[in-house]
Amino acid sequence: MAMTTLGILGSGFGSNMQAILDAIDAGALDARIGIVLSDHPDAHILERAELKGIRAEVINCSGHLMKFPEAAQEETARKLTEAGVDLVCLAGFMRIVKRPLLDAFPSRILNIHPSLLPAFPGLEAWRQALEAGVSESGVTVHLVDAGMDTGPILGQERVAVLPDDTPETLHFRLQAAEHRLYPEVIARYAATLTP
Ligand code: GAR
């Protein structure tokens, strides 16, 4: 596919979205970000998107803290479609995507996760890795299915766990790996898509 239009879903800081934007600017990823959606009105990712002149909107989850209500998923699918999105990238999005959003973008939703899946799915994977005492962790990009951090793996990068690592230092190095891996896998995967 020539220029791919990406839709980004994020709940937080937006450093992975920034890495995607940097890869686009550097000519390493033939894409544009058509829309950024967040379930948190005050998420920094929305501000970052607005600064870049990208359409940025809030997903209304009707006060649910964890759940991604069906109506909100329908609304999300509608906005992504309206923005001409070819490929959806979850970038620190903390709700589980299910139907109808999965059905609207079959095999077209990617996620980045800070562990070598299937190890340590779920929240604060870096803390889980430290608590398990592993000597190596890493990051994974995978296709999203209805599970939590499951779905076919498209790419991984290994990161050593150091003896004096704290959750913060390990998370920092995992994020640096995410910022390298995610744009690279998006570029590779986007090249396989038919319009
Ligand atoms: C990233 O480390 C990402 O892997 C993690 O949230 C962080 C978001 O950072 N996602 C998950 O744990 C998903 N299960 P960012 O907002 O700076 O990109």
Side-chain angles (χ1 to χ4, degrees):
M1 182 182 279
M3 162 85 77
T4 305
T5 299
L6 305 174
I8 308 282
L9 267 56
S11 305
F13 194 58
S15 71
N16 277 287
M17 181 194 68
Q18 189 61 55
I20 292 167
L21 284 169
D22 292 347
I24 292 171
D25 285 348
L29 174 59
D30 186 17
R32 59 183 279 273
I33 297 180
I35 187 166
V36 175
L37 298 169
S38 179
D39 53 335
H40 288 293
D42 50 0
H44 189 53
I45 194 169
L46 291 173
E47 252 173 70
R48 282 189 197 248
E50 276 162 9
L51 277 174
K52 278 278 192 174
I54 299 168
R55 181 175 161 197
E57 290 179 22
V58 177
I59 302 169
N60 178 4
C61 289
S62 311
H64 292 282
L65 287 181
M66 307 292 286
K67 212 178 129 194
F68 195 5
E70 198 171 311
Q73 301 213 28
E74 272 166 16
E75 175 78 355
T76 301
R78 196 181 55 70
K79 286 185 173 174
L80 291 166
T81 305
E82 218 176 74
V85 166
D86 305 302
L87 185 62
V88 181
C89 299
L90 308 188
F93 187 66
M94 295 309 194
R95 292 179 198 248
I96 297 180
V97 172
K98 292 209 187 299
R99 302 175 70 175
L101 184 49
L102 283 174
D103 289 348
F105 290 89
S107 297
R108 286 184 180 234
I109 307 181
L110 307 187
N111 183 39
I112 179 90
H113 183 77
S115 75
L116 293 176
L117 290 171
F120 314 128
L123 294 178
E124 298 195 323
W126 54 91
R127 199 179 293 277
Q128 295 184 50
L130 274 186
E131 282 167 6
V134 293
S135 59
E136 186 181 66
S137 189
V139 301
T140 302
V141 178
H142 64 96
L143 272 174
V144 173
D145 63 13
M148 183 174 65
D149 301 320
T150 52
I153 290 173
L154 300 177
Q156 291 187 311
E157 185 175 321
R158 296 174 177 278
V159 174
V161 178
L162 305 177
D164 57 352
D165 259 333
T166 62
E168 291 71 30
T169 59
L170 179 57
H171 188 208
F172 183 80
R173 289 203 314 290
L174 288 168
Q175 283 219 306
E178 291 183 335
H179 301 160
R180 282 189 295 272
L181 185 70
Y182 208 7
E184 184 190 308
V185 174
I186 293 168
R188 185 158 34 85
Y189 190 72
T192 70
L193 298 176
T194 44

